[in-house]
Amino acid sequence: MSLLARLAPHLPYVRRYARALTGDQTTGDHYVRVALEALAAGERTLESNLTPRVALYHVFHAIWCSSGAQLEGPQDDDQATDDTTRRLMRIAPRSRQAFLLTALEGFTPTEAAQILDSDFAEVEQLIAEAQVEIDAELATDVLIIEDEPVIAADIEALVKELGHTVVDIAATRTEAVDAVARKTPGLVLADIQLADGSSGIDAVKDILARYNVPVIFITAFPERLLTGERPEPTFLITKPFQPETVKAAIGQALFFHPRKASKQAA
């Protein structure tokens, strides 16, 4: 199989990653092109002990770290730069790499370590450092939609540990809609099956019809959302959950959610 055929399925994703890493599509594409040219010329090779996708990102990183990482400048004053990009560029390059490789690209920490020529422990530390920066910058008000008091208390403790404020805990669809009417949250954590037989899915639909807010579903019934019949949620956590999974999802949901105007009716 030719080099191009091996790498073609992965090129859109490495371009996405390069854009996020550098903060600019043109710059990102430049480094992807340089990496591909180096491979074609035999100046770089794909590591045979890595999967093609991991090996491609590994080569890209070797190229970018040799020059691109050294040329970064602050972008806070660039009016054309969106909020997510500005937040990303404020994270130290090494932590940003580990965070994006796992949070955006879906690599495991072990794969990220291979890409970064690092080890598992360092990658875990880099991700944690990025998470601390993100949590500190994106502290917000959180609505919890959960009918089990013990689970609701556990989620509330996690949310507060990250520096966020829990504005309400709703056990039914009606309570959730009323809570949002009183105070618009910056994040919603929702169960599916609620106390009175109502649906957390319907509660979220009601909320999203009026407000632009990121949502994380935490449920014992993921099959009710993973049907392929509707746009499926970006963040879906299955009960029983691991605290670190919830924390990571909160950081990612807040970090990558586009900041748009509210959809409230006038």
Side-chain angles (χ1 to χ4, degrees):
M1 183 180 295
S2 70
L3 177 66
L4 180 59
R6 292 173 62 195
L7 298 182
H10 311 300
L11 292 180
Y13 303 103
V14 77
R15 288 185 64 235
R16 173 183 64 186
Y17 173 69
R19 187 258 186 241
L21 182 65
T22 63
D24 177 73
Q25 186 66 67
T26 300
T27 303
D29 282 349
H30 167 73
Y31 284 106
V32 171
R33 184 171 61 254
V34 171
L36 293 175
E37 289 172 351
L39 285 168
E43 298 169 2
R44 300 276 179 174
T45 58
L46 298 176
E47 296 286 344
S48 60
N49 61 321
L50 304 177
T51 65
R53 184 170 183 241
V54 170
L56 173 60
Y57 279 69
H58 181 264
V59 170
F60 168 82
H61 260 283
I63 298 293
W64 185 73
C65 289
S66 67
S67 56
Q70 314 303 321
L71 301 175
E72 286 191 353
Q75 298 193 13
D76 284 3
D77 296 331
D78 186 349
Q79 298 301 312
T81 304
D82 61 36
D83 289 342
T84 298
T85 299
R86 278 193 288 267
R87 289 193 294 267
L88 275 171
M89 299 306 287
R90 284 196 288 268
I91 299 174
R94 191 77 169 164
S95 295
R96 188 193 325 148
Q97 294 162 29
F99 172 72
L100 286 172
L101 286 170
T102 53
L104 181 66
E105 298 303 313
F107 288 110
T108 66
T110 298
E111 290 171 326
Q114 293 172 329
I115 292 168
L116 298 176
D117 279 328
S118 180
D119 56 44
F120 183 89
E122 184 191 6
V123 167
E124 289 278 89
Q125 180 61 34
L126 290 170
I127 294 170
E129 291 171 359
Q131 198 70 57
V132 168
E133 293 186 49
I134 291 166
D135 294 337
E137 184 172 343
L138 299 179
T140 191
D141 294 327
V142 179
L143 170 64
I144 298 172
I145 306 175
E146 171 60 64
D147 65 325
E148 293 288 343
V150 173
I151 296 176
D154 287 343
I155 296 173
E156 181 179 22
L158 291 175
V159 168
K160 290 181 175 179
E161 186 178 334
L162 294 175
H164 305 299
T165 300
V166 175
V167 293
D168 215 328
I169 298 176
T172 68
R173 175 184 180 181
T174 299
E175 288 180 9
V177 173
D178 290 345
V180 172
R182 289 191 296 272
K183 185 173 181 62
T184 306
L187 174 69
V188 175
L189 303 176
D191 191 7
I192 290 178
Q193 187 166 296
L194 302 179
D196 60 352
S198 60
S199 167
I201 299 173
D202 291 334
V204 167
K205 285 181 178 178
D206 292 341
I207 293 168
L208 294 181
R210 299 187 63 192
Y211 305 95
N212 182 54
V213 57
V215 176
I216 300 172
F217 282 100
I218 305 176
T219 178
F221 305 97
E223 67 278 0
R224 292 178 58 181
L225 281 167
L226 300 177
T227 63
E229 298 176 357
R230 62 170 71 87
E232 295 176 347
T234 302
F235 299 99
L236 175 60
I237 297 172
T238 303
K239 295 177 181 176
F241 56 79
Q242 295 296 320
E244 294 307 315
T245 302
V246 177
K247 290 179 181 180
I250 289 173
Q252 293 169 26
L254 290 172
F255 196 92
F256 290 111
H257 186 74
R259 302 298 172 188
K260 299 177 183 176
S262 170
K263 294 188 285 187
Q264 293 184 74

